[in-house]
Amino acid sequence: MYSLSLLTEKLSPPDHIQMVAQGYAVWLTWSKDLPGSVPETLQSFGGFDVAVSGQQSLWLFVSQDFMGACAQLYKWYASSELMAHVRVFPVKLNFGPDMRFNLSVEERIQNLAVEYPRDFEIWVHARVKDGISPIPGIKLEQPAATFLPEEMYWCYFRATQQVRFTPKLSWIFIIRPEFSGDPLQGARDWEKQQEVLQELGSRMGFKTHRGGKDLLLVEVEGIRQLKNWCLELLVVFSGMKAGRHLSCYLIGVENPGINPADGIPERLLPEWKQVEPDQLYLPLKNILQLGRSLQVLPDSMPPRDRKITDLCRAALGPSYQEEIQARLDVSMPQGLVQGKSGPCFYCGLKIHAEVDCPTRQLFHIEYVLEQMALLDLQDINSGLESLEQEIRSSTPWQTLLQGSSPSRLVMRTILGINYPAQHRTLRLMRRSRGRDWPQGLKQLSDAEDDHNWGIIENLRMKQTGLARNSLKKLCLSQARDFRPRTMFGFLSLEENDHKAARAYWEEAGRLGYTPLQQSYHLYLRARLAEISNDFSRAYTLYQEAQKTSPGMQEARYRQGVCLVKAGDVEQALSIFLEICNERPEIFNQILVDPELAYGHQHLMSSLYSTWQQRKKKAQTSGTTLQKLARKAQAWFPEEHPRHDQFQSRIQGLQKLAGRDNYVAFVRLVDGVGSLQKDLEIAISNEVHEVKKDFAHIAQRLREINAEAGLIPLNSIAAAKIFRLGSEVRAMLKEVQSLDINAPEGYRLARAELTMAAEHISRMQKRLKSLELFRDASLFLYFMTRSFFWILLAVLLAGTFLVGAGTYAGLRREVDWAFSVLEQREAMLQVGIMLMAILSLALAAIRTTISFERLKAKYYKNKKE
C-alpha cells in the first residue's frame, strides 16, 4: 500500500505562517521502474518535487500547468506497459519566515492509501476541476464506478492524441549596470560586460537584445534553461568564474507574451532602489521550481502582502556545483542554426536554399561518425566553434568538406545526418536491387545499365528545363516505374513547389514494390512535412517508414528530432537513448545536429547522466584493462601463439581508454568485457590442454615402457629408453606439484611438458628401431619352430611313403625299386635336402601369414 501521509510528514512545519499560497499537488505512485521522462516532464511544466519515499513521490505546481504535464504523460503512457498512477488535488503552501513550508491538505485526501498500480491512470480531484479553466483536448470525466475511496471526489483524466501540449514557460532577464566612478570607464566596462553576456547567451542558445543604452535583455525558455542561465549568472557575478567587469542588477521576470526586441514595458521593471547589484532576483515560485540548485534568501522578502510571485533574492543552493557541472560542455553556435532561408530539405541548415546545398555535389555515403568517435568532447565543441567562424568568413564548401580537422569532421557529420533525403541516396535507389534498408543500398546493378543518369546530372547542374522534358517523356513511356516520379519530386522541391513534390512521392511510393522503395518515399514525404513545421504529420510518416523497413534507424532518429522541434524534448530523449544503446556513435550526431538547437541545452543536461554513467563504467573498465593486460602478458608471453592476438586487442582498447568520447566509453566497456571473457576462455583452454597433454604423455610413457619390456634383452637393448622414461616420470611428478591455474605454475608446467614430450619422441624413435630387431627375432623364432615341426612331419611322411612304395615295387619286381635299393644312400641325401627346402618354404609362408596372431599370443602369454 502507498500512503500519502508518509510523504506529507516529511515536510517540516514552519514556526509560524507568514504567507499562504494556493497550489496543486501531484501524487505519483508506480510499480517496477519509472521512466526518467516522467519526472522530466513534470519538471519541464514547472513542477518541483517536495518528497520522495520508495516508489512514490509528491510534486507541487503553483499554476494549472500541471494539466499540460498530465496530458503529455497520458499521451505517452496511456497505452503503454507503464504501471503508475497519478493523483492531482488542491493544496495550500504555508511558508514560514525562513521560507520553509509545509502543505495543508484536506483530511480525506491526507489519509488516502492506495494499492500498487497495475496500469497507467490519472485521477483529478473534483475541486481541481472546479478551479481551473477548460483546456482543449483535455477531459475530466466522472467514472461510473471506481475502486478509489470517496468516488464522488475524483475524476478520470483523458487527453486527445491530436492536440500538442508543450511547456510555455519563458522569462525575460533584465540586466542593468551599476555605474560608479569614471563614466567613460564605466561605459567601456559595460560594453565588455555586454559582450561577455551575449557570448554566454549565444553559447547557451538564448536570444539577447539591447534594450536601450543601459539595459540588456535575455530571452530564456524552459525551466531547465532557466536553471542553467541563473547558475551561470550567479557564478560569474559572484566572482567564482571569470567574466565580471562591473556590478550589474540581475532581474528575471516571467514573460507575459511580449517581444523583448520591441523593448521592455515599464510595468515589468523593478524599483531599482529596492534591489542590490550582483544579486539575482526571481519570482519566489521560480526559485522553488529550480530545486536545490538555488535557495531563497529570507531577508529579501517584502515585509507585507507577500505573494509567491514576488521577486526574491536567490543564492546558490547546496547542489549548485553538481548542477553547473551536470551538462555536457557542447554549445550549438548561432551561426549554424540561423540564416536567411528556411531549413534546407537536404541538410537542415538555414544558410542556403535546396538548390545551393553542398550535399548535391556529394556522390558517396561517407560514414563520418566512425571518425568522430576518435574526437574528445572538447574537440567536438571546438570543432563547432571553428566551423561557425569558417562559415561566417564565407569559406568555400569544397574546403569545408575536405580534411580531417575537428571542424571538417563536424561539417561532414552534419551534412550526413539526413543522407536518405539527399541526391547521393537517390542515385543508389535507382540502381538498388535489394528489398531491405540499408542492405539494399549495397545491392546495386551496374552503373552502366542506368541509361537515365543524365537526368540526375541535369538536376544537379540546375538545368531544370532539360530535366523536366526528359522526365515527362519517361513518365509516359515508363508508366509503372517509380524512378521518374521520384526525380520529378526532387525537381518540384527545388522549384519550391512542395505540394507537387508531395504528390509525386506519394505516387512513386505506390509504384514501389519493395519495402526499401516504399520506406524511402515515406521518408521523403516525412522530411517534407518536417521542414514545413508539420511535425505531427512528419512523426507519423517517419513511424510508417520505420515500420515498413525496421532497419531504417534514420527514420527513428528523425522521430526524435520532430519531438524536439515540437517541444517534447523528454520523449525525444527516450528515443535518442534507445538508438544510442543500439548504435552508440549516434550520440556524437546528437551533439552536433543543428536541427536539435531548440532543445540542445536541455539535451546536453539530460544526456549528462548517461555520459557520466558510461564514463564511470569506462574508467572501471580501464582499470580492468590494465589488469587484463598484465594477466595476458603473464599467461601468453611473446613466444606463445596467442600473444599477438591478445596484445593487438589490448592496444586497441588502450587507445579508447584515453578518449573522452561516448562511443569510446561504450566500445571500451564492451571491448574489455569481451576481452575478459575471451581471455578466461583462452586460459581455461590452456589449462585444459596442459591437463590433456599431461594425461597423454603419462599414457604414452606407460605404453612405451610396456613395449620396451617385451624386447629381448631389454635391460641392455632398451636401457636408454628406460633412462629417458625415468626422466619423464620425474617431470610429470614436478608438473603434478605445480598450480597450473596460476600463470607461473602454468608456464613451468608447459615447459616441463614440452621437454617431456621431446623425451617421449626420442623414446618413440628408439623404440621403433628396437621393435624392428624384436620383430625380426620373433619372426625367426616362429619360423624356426615351424620349420622343425614341418620338417619332422615331412620326414616321417616321406620315410613312410618311400618305404611303402619300395616294398610294393620289390614284391612286384619293378626295376625302379631295385634301383632305389642300390642307390639308397644317394637318394636319402637328395630326399632329405628336398624335404628340408620344402619345409623351410612352408615354414616361412606359415609364419608370414600368422605372424601378428602369434606375436599377440606370445605377448599375452608373457604378460600373464
Side-chain angles (χ1 to χ4, degrees):
M1 295 287 290
Y2 295 106
S3 175
L4 177 61
S5 60
L6 185 64
L7 296 175
T8 56
E9 290 173 356
K10 290 179 174 291
L11 301 177
S12 302
D15 296 335
H16 64 275
I17 299 174
Q18 288 192 353
M19 183 182 70
V20 178
Q22 297 290 334
Y24 303 94
V26 175
W27 182 25
L28 179 63
T29 59
W30 64 90
S31 301
K32 297 184 179 179
D33 296 328
L34 183 70
S37 58
V38 174
E40 286 280 353
T41 301
L42 296 174
Q43 185 182 19
S44 67
F45 279 86
F48 55 98
D49 61 319
V50 294
V52 179
S53 177
Q55 292 180 305
Q56 60 175 337
S57 62
L58 187 63
W59 292 72
L60 292 182
F61 287 81
V62 294
S63 67
Q64 70 175 50
D65 288 332
F66 73 88
M67 295 289 284
C70 292
Q72 195 67 280
L73 294 178
Y74 184 88
K75 288 175 60 178
W76 291 342
Y77 299 112
S79 301
S80 70
E81 297 180 356
L82 176 64
M83 293 183 287
H85 285 182
V86 179
R87 292 168 181 82
V88 185
F89 50 88
V91 294
K92 290 183 179 180
L93 286 71
N94 302 318
F95 289 89
D98 57 357
M99 288 300 101
R100 287 188 304 170
F101 66 90
N102 70 342
L103 302 179
S104 293
V105 185
E106 186 178 339
E107 185 177 357
R108 293 172 179 172
I109 302 175
Q110 174 76 15
N111 298 328
L112 189 61
V114 296
E115 298 286 346
Y116 297 103
R118 294 293 180 264
D119 53 8
F120 183 81
E121 291 182 346
I122 301 177
W123 297 87
V124 179
H125 198 272
R127 285 177 53 197
V128 174
K129 178 181 179 181
D130 297 336
I132 62 174
S133 304
I135 299 177
I138 296 179
K139 293 182 180 180
L140 298 177
E141 302 175 352
Q142 179 69 32
T146 177
F147 58 86
L148 286 173
E150 304 294 346
E151 295 89 349
M152 60 181 297
Y153 293 105
W154 297 93
C155 300
Y156 188 65
F157 183 98
R158 296 184 185 275
T160 180
Q161 296 288 339
Q162 287 71 33
V163 180
R164 288 173 49 197
F165 301 95
T166 57
K168 298 179 181 179
L169 303 176
S170 63
W171 293 265
I172 300 174
F173 271 79
I174 307 167
I175 303 175
R176 176 186 175 185
E178 182 197 29
F179 292 117
S180 61
D182 185 5
L184 294 178
Q185 182 62 37
R188 287 193 292 267
D189 291 341
W190 172 234
E191 192 65 28
K192 294 179 182 178
Q193 191 66 65
Q194 287 187 99
E195 291 178 359
V196 170
L197 294 174
Q198 285 178 321
E199 190 277 332
L200 179 62
S202 176
R203 180 167 57 85
M204 299 180 70
F206 304 145
K207 295 180 181 180
T208 58
H209 310 277
R210 297 200 178 192
K213 181 179 179 181
D214 298 334
L215 289 181
L216 179 66
L217 306 179
V218 182
E219 293 184 69
V220 179
E221 295 185 0
I223 197 71
R224 187 179 290 274
Q225 288 83 341
L226 174 66
K227 179 188 296 185
N228 295 337
W229 177 247
C230 291
L231 292 176
E232 288 288 347
L233 286 181
L234 287 173
V235 169
V236 169
F237 283 94
S238 64
M240 300 172 61
K241 181 179 179 181
R244 178 180 176 275
H245 294 279
L246 80 166
S247 297
C248 294
Y249 297 100
L250 311 173
I251 312 297
V253 296
E254 290 185 302
N255 189 347
I258 66 171
N259 183 5
D262 299 332
I264 190 78
E266 290 291 335
R267 59 186 174 85
L268 294 181
L269 297 177
E271 292 290 339
W272 297 109
K273 295 181 180 181
Q274 297 181 3
V275 295
E276 300 178 18
D278 296 337
Q279 301 294 321
L280 177 64
Y281 289 84
L282 277 175
L284 173 60
K285 68 174 185 178
N286 297 142
I287 301 176
L288 297 176
Q289 289 169 343
L290 298 183
R292 299 178 67 248
S293 58
L294 292 182
Q295 60 182 352
V296 61
L297 299 180
D299 59 348
S300 67
M301 293 291 294
R304 299 179 182 177
D305 300 329
R306 296 177 176 178
K307 294 181 296 184
I308 200 169
T309 56
D310 288 340
L311 288 177
C312 297
R313 184 154 55 99
L316 293 172
S319 64
Y320 80 94
Q321 289 185 337
E322 299 176 6
E323 293 289 347
I324 290 176
Q325 299 173 356
R327 57 178 178 268
L328 298 176
D329 189 16
V330 178
S331 302
M332 183 58 62
Q334 293 300 304
L336 293 178
V337 299
Q338 296 177 351
K340 298 180 180 179
S341 304
C344 174
F345 177 87
Y346 299 124
C347 68
L349 297 176
K350 299 179 181 180
I351 55 179
H352 56 248
E354 283 82 1
V355 293
D356 299 318
C357 183
T359 63
R360 299 170 80 257
Q361 311 303 324
L362 301 178
F363 297 91
H364 303 286
I365 297 176
E366 181 186 13
Y367 202 62
V368 195
L369 290 176
E370 286 297 328
Q371 302 177 55
M372 287 283 290
L374 303 178
L375 298 180
D376 292 337
L377 186 67
Q378 184 178 358
D379 295 332
I380 294 176
N381 187 49
S382 62
L384 283 167
E385 294 175 354
S386 301
L387 180 60
E388 180 190 30
Q389 296 175 2
E390 290 175 330
I391 290 177
R392 291 187 184 278
S393 61
S394 301
T395 303
W397 285 108
Q398 292 81 357
T399 305
L400 292 176
L401 296 177
Q402 297 176 357
S404 57
S405 65
S407 62
R408 306 301 166 80
L409 292 178
V410 169
M411 183 74 263
R412 297 209 297 274
T413 299
I414 292 174
L415 294 184
I417 293 175
N418 190 40
Y419 79 89
Q422 297 170 5
H423 281 203
R424 46 182 164 177
T425 305
L426 172 62
R427 294 185 179 91
L428 297 178
M429 284 297 302
R430 290 183 53 82
R431 297 167 49 202
S432 174
R433 290 183 174 180
R435 293 183 53 84
D436 301 315
W437 183 285
Q439 294 83 2
L441 298 180
K442 300 177 182 178
Q443 302 167 5
L444 306 176
S445 62
D446 195 335
E448 297 179 356
D449 295 340
D450 187 4
H451 303 294
N452 299 315
W453 64 270
I455 301 177
I456 301 180
E457 286 302 300
N458 291 335
L459 183 62
R460 184 177 70 87
M461 300 301 293
K462 302 179 184 180
Q463 297 174 350
T464 56
L466 292 175
R468 181 177 296 278
N469 292 335
S470 301
L471 289 174
K472 286 181 178 179
K473 294 178 182 178
L474 283 177
C475 288
L476 293 175
S477 61
Q478 302 176 9
R480 304 299 299 172
D481 193 346
F482 73 90
R483 293 176 293 184
R485 281 81 180 169
T486 305
M487 289 189 289
F488 237 135
F490 280 96
L491 178 61
S492 301
L493 168 73
E494 297 186 1
E495 291 179 342
N496 204 28
D497 189 352
H498 290 186
K499 184 177 180 181
R502 184 185 307 110
Y504 281 121
W505 286 334
E506 287 179 355
E507 184 180 1
R510 289 192 294 269
L511 294 176
Y513 52 88
T514 66
L516 173 69
Q517 296 165 2
Q518 294 166 359
S519 61
Y520 171 68
H521 291 96
L522 284 169
Y523 186 98
L524 294 178
R525 291 164 53 196
R527 177 60 177 170
L528 192 61
E530 181 185 344
I531 65 171
S532 301
N533 295 329
D534 189 357
F535 303 125
S536 178
R537 176 63 175 165
Y539 183 89
T540 303
L541 289 172
Y542 282 131
Q543 276 187 321
E544 293 181 16
Q546 188 193 15
K547 184 178 180 180
T548 305
S549 290
M552 199 178 202
Q553 287 293 338
E554 295 81 1
R556 181 64 171 159
Y557 177 82
R558 298 231 65 85
Q559 293 174 41
V561 175
C562 289
L563 288 173
V564 170
K565 291 180 177 181
D568 300 338
V569 183
E570 292 79 15
Q571 184 70 359
L573 183 64
S574 62
I575 293 177
F576 291 146
L577 291 178
E578 178 184 334
I579 298 175
C580 290
N581 286 334
E582 299 176 7
R583 296 175 55 192
E585 61 273 13
I586 297 298
F587 192 96
N588 292 330
Q589 180 174 298
I590 297 172
L591 299 181
V592 302
D593 191 350
E595 295 195 72
L596 296 175
Y598 176 80
H600 184 79
Q601 284 296 318
H602 192 163
L603 289 171
M604 294 305 100
S605 299
S606 299
L607 292 173
Y608 180 80
S609 59
T610 303
W611 171 280
Q612 282 298 109
Q613 291 173 6
R614 290 291 187 178
K615 188 173 184 177
K616 289 180 181 178
K617 291 181 179 179
Q619 291 172 345
T620 303
S621 296
T623 305
T624 305
L625 179 61
Q626 296 176 0
K627 297 178 181 178
L628 293 178
R630 293 192 294 267
K631 189 174 184 179
Q633 186 63 37
W635 279 92
F636 306 105
E638 293 185 4
E639 63 273 9
H640 197 281
R642 295 187 180 183
H643 174 270
D644 294 342
Q645 170 192 351
F646 282 111
Q647 288 303 315
S648 62
R649 292 177 63 180
I650 290 172
Q651 291 171 6
L653 292 173
Q654 287 174 340
K655 293 180 181 179
L656 294 176
R659 294 291 180 186
D660 190 27
N661 190 293
Y662 180 85
V663 182
F665 298 157
V666 175
R667 291 180 177 175
L668 177 63
V669 173
D670 294 343
V672 169
S674 176
L675 174 65
Q676 186 173 19
K677 181 179 179 181
D678 293 344
L679 189 59
E680 293 297 332
I681 292 175
I683 292 174
S684 177
N685 291 339
E686 289 296 322
V687 172
H688 178 71
E689 286 295 325
V690 167
K691 294 179 179 178
K692 184 178 178 182
D693 291 347
F694 179 90
H696 176 71
I697 291 173
Q699 178 66 23
R700 288 297 301 140
L701 179 62
R702 289 191 294 269
E703 293 174 355
I704 291 174
N705 285 334
E707 293 288 332
L710 300 177
I711 294 174
L713 303 175
N714 53 45
S715 60
I716 299 175
K720 184 176 182 180
I721 293 178
F722 292 143
R723 179 175 58 81
L724 291 174
S726 299
E727 295 179 5
V728 170
R729 278 192 294 272
M731 294 176 187
L732 294 180
K733 187 176 181 180
E734 177 68 19
V735 171
Q736 283 183 320
S737 66
L738 297 173
D739 181 12
I740 60 175
N741 292 311
E744 185 176 355
Y746 160 76
R747 291 198 305 272
L748 292 175
R750 174 58 71 188
E752 292 288 342
L753 290 176
T754 301
M755 188 177 298
E758 294 176 356
H759 281 31
I760 290 291
S761 178
R762 293 168 59 189
M763 293 170 66
Q764 186 71 35
K765 292 180 181 179
R766 178 64 178 167
L767 182 63
K768 284 184 178 180
S769 62
L770 292 177
E771 284 178 344
L772 292 176
F773 169 74
R774 180 197 65 189
D775 290 348
S777 301
L778 286 176
F779 188 87
L780 182 62
Y781 166 72
F782 292 143
M783 189 179 71
T784 302
R785 188 177 63 178
S786 297
F787 169 72
F788 283 114
W789 284 107
I790 292 174
L791 179 61
L792 178 62
V794 170
L795 287 174
L796 292 174
T799 301
F800 174 77
L801 292 175
V802 171
T806 303
Y807 175 75
L810 292 175
R811 293 280 305 264
R812 296 179 182 183
E813 298 181 350
V814 180
D815 293 337
W816 60 267
F818 293 102
S819 298
V820 169
L821 288 175
E822 294 175 355
Q823 301 178 4
R824 57 181 178 276
E825 293 182 359
M827 292 291 290
L828 180 62
Q829 293 176 357
V830 172
I832 292 174
M833 185 175 297
L834 291 174
M835 284 186 286
I837 293 173
L838 177 63
S839 298
L840 183 62
L842 290 174
I845 294 172
R846 181 178 180 274
T847 303
T848 301
I849 294 173
S850 60
F851 178 72
E852 292 298 330
R853 178 176 58 81
L854 294 173
K855 182 174 69 172
K857 184 178 180 180
Y858 174 81
Y859 288 155
K860 181 179 180 181
N861 293 333
K862 192 168 184 179
K863 289 178 181 179
E864 292 176 353

